[in-house]
Amino acid sequence: MPYDVIIIGGGPAGLSAALVLGRARKRVLLCDAGAPRNARAEQIHTFVTRDGTPPAEFRRIGREQLRAYPSVEARDVRVAAIAREGHEFVATFADGTRAAARRILLAVGVRDILPDDLPGLRELWGHSVFQCPYCHGWEVQDRRFAYLSPGPEWVRFGVFLTGWSWDVVVLTSGAYAVDDAARDELRRAGVGLDERPLRRLVARDGELVALEFADGGTLAREVLFARPAQRQTELVQSLGLELDEHGFVRVDMLGRTSVAGIFAAGDLTTPMQGALLAAAAGMQAAAGLNHELTVEHALSGDAAPARPPEASRAPGGTGG
C-alpha cells in the first residue's frame, strides 16, 4: 500500500508537516538523512516555547510527539532518487530499498556554500560567524561586529545590525564599489566601511578575535555576519522544478511546485529562513496536501484514510 505522502527532510518544516498530516489521518513516511543545516548552531531562537533549544533536542521532541499518530512513520534514511511511476511517486533510498506515495513533500532545506578561500570562516561558522541576527544577535549583543556584504545591494544591512551593536564595520573584501548614497548612510549610522581584500579570520580558543587583510593589516572583531551563497540539493535539482530568479523552488501559497504532486516547504523555497518560518511553511504545505488527498480519496469512493493494520482507534472525543 503506498503512503499518502513521503516527506523528505526531518527538520522544522518536515516535522511540522508530518504532525499536521498525522492529525489529519494521512499515511506518512518522514525521511531524515540526519544532516541538519543548523547542526553547527548551539541553540534555536525566536521560536516561541522553544527559544534556546538545541537543534538535536528540538528534533527529538518533534519525533517523540509524532509517536502519538500511528499513521506517521519516521525513518533515518537518505532519499537518493524520486521517480514518477504511473499515478504514484517512488522514492529510492540510499540502501536500495523503495517506497511509493501519492505525493512528495520536499523539506530538505538548502546547502550553504561556505567559501574555501577565506581561512577560518568554515571553522567559526555557527560559533562566531553567523547569518541571521534574529537567531543569534541577542547572544552576541554589544560585541565588535563585522559584516561581510556579498554585493553592493546588501551594504545597507550593516545599518540594520546596529540594532544589536553600535560597533559595526561593513566589509567588501575589495569585490565591488560602494556608491555615495550607501557610504553616506553608513556614515550617518556610525557604521564603518573597510574595502580591503580579506585574507583570513583569526581565532583564539575557538572564537573570532580579528580579521586579517591582504595588506597585512588587522581589525579586532569578535563577531562576523555573512551571507554565503546557497544552492539546492542534488535531489531537488534532479526533479526539474521551476526556480525563481534567486534559485529558490517556486511554490504557490499551499506549497505546490511546478511539478504536479510534488510540494515543497522551508528554506529551499525562500531567502526568509528560520526554524519558526520553516515550521509554519510545513504546516501550510501539509494543509494543501491534506485537502488534495482528502478530496481525491472521497471522489474515488475511498473516503476513509489509509491506516496501518496495527493502528487502533483512538479514544473518542469532540475537542480539537
Side-chain angles (χ1 to χ4, degrees):
M1 180 184 297
Y3 294 93
D4 288 308
V5 183
I6 293 177
I7 300 173
I8 305 172
L15 289 167
S16 177
L19 180 61
V20 172
L21 290 166
R23 291 180 58 81
R25 305 195 301 169
K26 295 302 183 286
R27 191 163 185 252
V28 176
L29 176 60
L30 175 68
C31 302
D32 188 353
R37 180 179 167 221
N38 63 352
R40 296 291 296 276
E42 296 177 359
Q43 298 174 333
I44 290 173
H45 291 289
T46 67
F47 199 127
V48 63
T49 78
R50 289 292 176 259
D51 191 54
T53 303
E57 176 67 3
F58 180 92
R59 287 173 176 244
R60 185 198 67 77
I61 294 170
R63 285 281 196 99
E64 183 178 283
Q65 293 182 342
L66 289 178
R67 294 193 187 104
Y69 304 97
S71 64
V72 177
E73 176 186 352
R75 294 188 200 174
D76 294 316
V77 64
R78 183 176 67 85
V79 176
I82 298 170
R84 187 83 185 235
E85 296 187 6
H87 297 294
E88 298 172 351
F89 293 93
V90 175
T92 301
F93 305 119
D95 62 5
T97 59
R98 308 199 317 164
R102 294 180 173 88
R103 300 290 190 279
I104 296 290
L105 173 57
L106 301 169
V108 295
V110 288
R111 296 285 182 261
D112 292 314
I113 311 303
L114 302 181
D116 292 322
D117 58 352
L118 186 55
L121 187 145
R122 186 178 297 275
E123 294 78 7
L124 293 171
W125 183 252
H127 298 292
S128 295
V129 181
F130 308 106
Q131 180 175 355
C132 174
Y134 286 113
C135 298
H136 303 287
W138 173 266
E139 284 67 34
V140 296
Q141 60 183 299
D142 295 326
R143 298 185 190 176
R144 292 173 293 189
F145 283 15
Y147 164 56
L148 181 56
S149 173
E153 69 277 14
W154 287 100
V155 166
R156 291 173 172 83
F157 189 77
V159 176
F160 174 67
L161 288 174
T162 61
W164 289 269
S165 172
W166 282 105
D167 188 352
V168 180
V169 175
V170 172
L171 312 170
T172 68
S173 198
Y176 53 84
V178 178
D179 63 39
D180 291 340
R183 288 177 185 274
D184 182 61
E185 287 190 16
L186 295 179
R187 179 189 57 77
R188 288 162 52 200
V191 174
L193 176 64
D194 198 315
E195 300 174 85
R196 293 175 292 175
L198 270 173
R199 175 181 291 165
R200 68 185 183 105
L201 277 58
V202 182
R204 183 182 303 124
D205 299 325
E207 301 292 337
L208 178 67
V209 295
L211 307 172
E212 182 179 307
F213 298 92
D215 64 5
T218 60
L219 176 67
R221 294 288 98 177
E222 299 166 280
V223 176
L224 175 67
F225 282 92
R227 297 185 62 89
Q230 296 179 329
R231 70 166 177 238
Q232 301 293 340
T233 65
E234 292 182 2
L235 178 66
V236 172
Q237 293 180 46
S238 72
L239 297 174
L241 306 176
E242 182 181 345
L243 306 181
D244 66 18
E245 62 274 19
H246 302 294
F248 295 100
V249 175
R250 194 182 295 278
V251 294
D252 67 10
M253 65 178 296
L254 292 179
R256 290 174 291 214
T257 71
S258 59
V259 175
I262 298 182
F263 288 62
D267 292 356
L268 77 163
T269 69
T270 176
M272 296 294 292
Q273 298 169 357
L276 182 58
L277 295 171
M283 179 178 183
Q284 198 164 0
L289 280 160
N290 182 57
H291 182 271
E292 276 196 8
L293 289 164
T294 300
V295 172
E296 185 176 289
H297 281 306
L299 295 181
S300 68
D302 180 23
R307 303 185 68 188
E310 68 275 11
S312 58
R313 183 177 298 275
T318 59

